[in-house]
Amino acid sequence: MSRRKKPEQGELFELPPKKDGALAYLPEDAHDLGSLAKAIHACEGCSIHENATQPVFGDGAADSRMVLVGEQPGDKEDLAGKPFVGPAGRLLDKTLEAAGIDRGTVYITNVVKHFKWTPRGKRRLHSKPSPYEIRACQPWLEAELSAIKPKVLVLMGSTAAQAVLGSGFRVTKSRGEPHISPFSEHTFATLHPAALLRIQLDYAREAAEKEFIEDFKKIAAYL
Ligand code: SF4
């Protein structure tokens, strides 16, 4: 079994999971995205996989200069087996285009790779992963970032930001500003696009979408 590397930054990365979590399921060749994407199908590092259709690994090229990280796959992603294919993904695509970032040059993934949900009638509602589940799944994200070594890392939403930058990190206070992490030259945090979609008032949502685009315009300057 491979061993967890000593993290240089990030409080949550310093806390080992109660069990080994995903670590026992990493392939020998953990620096190859193709090997990782195959191996994750066997992962039982936490119990989320029991009610999910399939793991949703990251999507994009190994030489991507920018990596975007969200929280976990949603209902549509769980069925498609690809990240950010639902409404939040469409908003993200629109935002990247408005910020002048080519979506085809970006690698996109999540902190947690299986969909955690609770039933509401026939619907499957997103359920926030626990701190233990987030830590259990971190070896996959660490392996993806180690394989890609992006120039720019963008953490979308508090789960992703706190997983890498520490549990005390507040996205609303430090969004769009450069931070230091062991995974990229420049690390940023911003909102998760799903959070914008939950804003009920049209004018407030449109204003939030403009701010989201401004964050990505600033980030694009570091590419
Ligand atoms: Fe493994 Fe992560 Fe899925 Fe848990 S959520 S079973 S750690 S891939």
Side-chain angles (χ1 to χ4, degrees):
M1 188 194 308
S2 51
R3 291 275 143 234
R4 282 175 75 82
K5 69 182 170 58
K6 187 174 184 297
E8 291 160 27
Q9 303 230 2
E11 291 169 22
L12 280 181
F13 276 25
E14 292 166 17
L15 299 171
K18 291 176 205 155
K19 295 186 290 179
D20 267 338
L23 203 56
Y25 300 90
L26 288 191
E28 295 269 311
D29 188 3
H31 293 293
D32 178 74
L33 287 180
S35 302
L36 290 165
K38 274 188 202 154
I40 201 169
H41 285 266
C43 187
E44 297 182 358
C46 74
S47 60
I48 300 182
H49 72 95
E50 290 167 9
N51 293 320
T53 307
Q54 59 193 320
V56 179
F57 198 63
D59 183 42
D63 62 354
S64 298
R65 287 164 68 81
M66 176 183 268
V67 171
L68 307 184
V69 183
E71 182 194 77
Q72 64 161 342
D75 181 72
K76 296 238 172 351
E77 288 80 11
D78 169 76
L79 297 173
K82 284 188 88 170
F84 285 86
V85 294
R90 286 195 290 280
L91 175 57
L92 184 61
D93 288 350
K94 207 172 79 173
T95 301
L96 292 176
E97 191 181 347
I101 299 169
D102 179 358
R103 169 73 176 85
T105 65
V106 170
Y107 184 92
I108 191 155
T109 191
N110 286 295
V111 171
V112 170
K113 309 300 195 209
H114 276 103
F115 176 39
K116 183 177 179 184
W117 57 278
T118 49
R120 174 82 56 84
K122 288 184 179 172
R123 295 174 62 207
R124 303 189 301 169
L125 294 189
H126 163 275
S127 179
K128 192 172 167 58
S130 71
Y132 167 66
E133 290 158 344
I134 292 167
R135 289 198 295 276
C137 209
Q138 274 171 349
W140 294 114
L141 178 62
E142 289 182 7
E144 285 174 296
L145 294 173
S146 299
I148 298 168
K149 296 183 178 59
K151 184 164 187 203
V152 171
L153 173 63
V154 185
L155 308 161
M156 300 186 297
S158 61
T159 298
Q162 291 180 0
V164 173
L165 296 171
S167 56
F169 188 85
R170 295 287 170 267
V171 172
T172 44
K173 282 192 180 164
S174 305
R175 63 184 285 189
E177 296 169 6
H179 298 278
I180 295 170
S181 85
F183 304 107
S184 59
E185 278 181 45
H186 310 288
T187 298
F188 297 88
T190 184
L191 301 185
H192 192 289
L196 306 186
L197 295 175
R198 285 195 291 271
I199 300 173
Q200 296 291 322
L201 294 171
D202 287 349
Y203 76 87
R205 191 177 55 257
E206 282 161 18
E209 287 179 11
K210 276 186 190 154
E211 267 189 277
F212 195 47
I213 291 169
E214 287 309 310
D215 282 350
F216 275 96
K217 280 184 178 169
K218 276 194 260 172
I219 293 167
Y222 287 80
L223 277 170

